[in-house]
Amino acid sequence: MQFDIRRFDIYRKVPKDLTHATTTGAAISLICITFISTLLLIELYYFITPDVVSELFVDAPDFGTSNRIPVHVDITVSEIPCQYLGIDIQDDLGRHEVGFHDNTLKTPDNNDKGCRINATFTVTRVPGNFHVSTHSAASQPTIGDMKHVIHDLRFGDSIKGFRQIPNRKAFRPLRGFNNTNHPIHVSHDYLMKIVPTIYENLSGVRRYPFQYTFVYREFNPHQGVIGAIWFRYDIMPITVKYTERRQKFYTFITSICAVVGGSFTVASILDSIVFTASELFKKFEIGKMT
């Protein structure tokens, strides 16, 4: 007796001459195909696009080889010329640097009445401050108007090119901050809380940007003293880590099978209901005629 493997076929085929096509079935089939195609494209998009998973750590589990934080500041003081302005840096470890000039570019602004300062420097991971002032100038301006616009202020690595990073505003909340509507003889004070952040992409490459929040206040300096623009910072002991993760391939295949199988099953049930209802209606019409 010859063994016939076809006996294991659970997908038995019905001859075409025992079936017939209907307009309703064709419409449901087209709708089903369109629906499946849309869901498959959505599933493909979510498979290609990585998810970002966040974690919290006490202190930094891995923060590179340096304990220094890069700072980039781009600010325009509209009413004081460049010759009077400089950046001073202080911290709780005793650093006190007046008139920092490395990696600093000063550009005259407002018809030489103002100055745009673009500077990059590093600070230690301890509380401290940096400020724009006239402390390093050989002479003082007659009017100490520290009205300003902060074009950019960021800590750590740039987030440029980070496609999936959440809450991007938290990394540069002072970007574009306009502070030109305050009295002339005041000091401007920004109190900042800085949160260390690690961002790891799918390739395992890590970047170390910093998120921060700020509170602004103004105060009157001592009589005869020209105000300054203070940026006081404190490093939080919590580190946030963002990790890109892509959906597993077997999960993607499972989702596709569920979409295709479920859609065809629902469409088949719907077609059967419509066809049965149509046949019953036809019989009912014939019964009324006889």
Side-chain angles (χ1 to χ4, degrees):
M1 183 177 178
Q2 187 176 5
F3 176 74
D4 189 357
I5 195 174
R6 291 179 298 177
R7 290 186 299 174
F8 294 98
D9 185 6
I10 61 176
Y11 302 102
R12 301 298 179 98
K13 310 303 184 295
V14 180
K16 284 189 176 182
D17 56 352
L18 297 180
T19 63
H20 67 278
T22 63
T23 303
T24 304
I28 294 176
S29 298
L30 291 175
I31 293 173
C32 180
I33 292 173
T34 303
F35 182 72
I36 290 175
S37 300
T38 303
L39 290 182
L40 289 180
L41 289 176
I42 293 174
E43 288 292 335
L44 180 62
Y45 171 79
Y46 282 115
F47 175 71
I48 295 175
T49 306
D51 293 327
V52 177
V53 180
S54 62
E55 303 171 84
L56 288 178
F57 300 91
V58 177
D59 205 359
D62 176 10
F63 219 86
T65 57
S66 175
N67 66 345
R68 303 187 71 84
I69 303 173
V71 181
H72 176 75
V73 59
D74 185 1
I75 185 172
T76 293
V77 180
S78 56
E79 300 296 332
I80 297 182
C82 289
Q83 67 189 77
Y84 299 107
L85 294 174
I87 294 180
D88 309 328
I89 306 172
Q90 297 175 295
D91 64 33
D92 285 0
L93 291 180
R95 180 182 183 184
H96 190 180
E97 189 169 349
V98 179
F100 176 84
H101 55 82
D102 294 338
N103 300 317
T104 301
L105 177 64
K106 298 181 184 179
T107 306
D109 191 76
N110 192 21
N111 296 320
D112 291 338
K113 293 190 300 181
C115 183
R116 180 167 183 170
I117 302 176
N118 196 312
T120 301
F121 51 92
T122 61
V123 296
T124 310
R125 288 170 52 87
V126 296
N129 74 80
F130 55 92
H131 50 277
V132 179
S133 70
T134 60
H135 299 163
S136 61
S139 61
Q140 298 294 299
T142 54
I143 300 178
D145 188 352
M146 279 290 180
K147 293 178 181 177
H148 59 278
V149 175
I150 303 174
H151 305 289
D152 195 14
L153 174 59
R154 71 171 185 266
F155 296 86
D157 294 336
S158 171
I159 63 171
K160 186 177 181 180
F162 291 9
R163 297 172 299 171
Q164 303 297 323
I165 196 165
N167 195 19
R168 303 178 71 89
K169 180 68 175 176
F171 292 87
R172 303 161 90 174
L174 278 172
R175 186 178 188 183
F177 192 81
N178 190 318
N179 211 336
T180 57
N181 298 317
H182 290 268
I184 294 178
H185 299 289
V186 297
S187 276
H188 305 272
D189 209 354
Y190 296 91
L191 308 176
M192 300 180 294
K193 297 292 186 180
I194 301 176
V195 181
T197 306
I198 302 173
Y199 189 90
E200 182 176 335
N201 64 13
L202 288 172
S203 303
V205 178
R206 291 186 174 184
R207 296 281 186 87
Y208 302 93
F210 286 74
Q211 304 177 64
Y212 67 94
T213 60
F214 74 94
V215 174
Y216 171 77
R217 67 180 181 182
E218 65 181 48
F219 62 92
N220 292 313
H222 297 294
Q223 188 173 4
V225 177
I226 294 177
I229 306 170
W230 296 81
F231 299 94
R232 307 178 196 271
Y233 58 87
D234 191 10
I235 314 296
M236 302 300 292
I238 299 296
T239 297
V240 180
K241 182 180 179 182
Y242 296 113
T243 306
E244 288 186 355
R245 293 179 183 173
R246 178 165 287 162
Q247 187 184 63
K248 300 295 184 181
F249 183 71
Y250 64 82
T251 305
F252 174 62
I253 295 298
T254 302
S255 299
I256 289 179
C257 293
V259 167
V260 175
S263 300
F264 270 119
T265 300
V266 173
S268 177
I269 294 173
L270 182 61
D271 180 61
S272 298
I273 293 174
V274 173
F275 180 76
T276 302
S278 176
E279 291 298 312
L280 289 174
F281 181 75
K282 288 180 181 178
K283 291 180 180 181
F284 178 75
E285 288 294 320
I286 294 174
K288 288 179 59 177
M289 295 176 60
T290 55

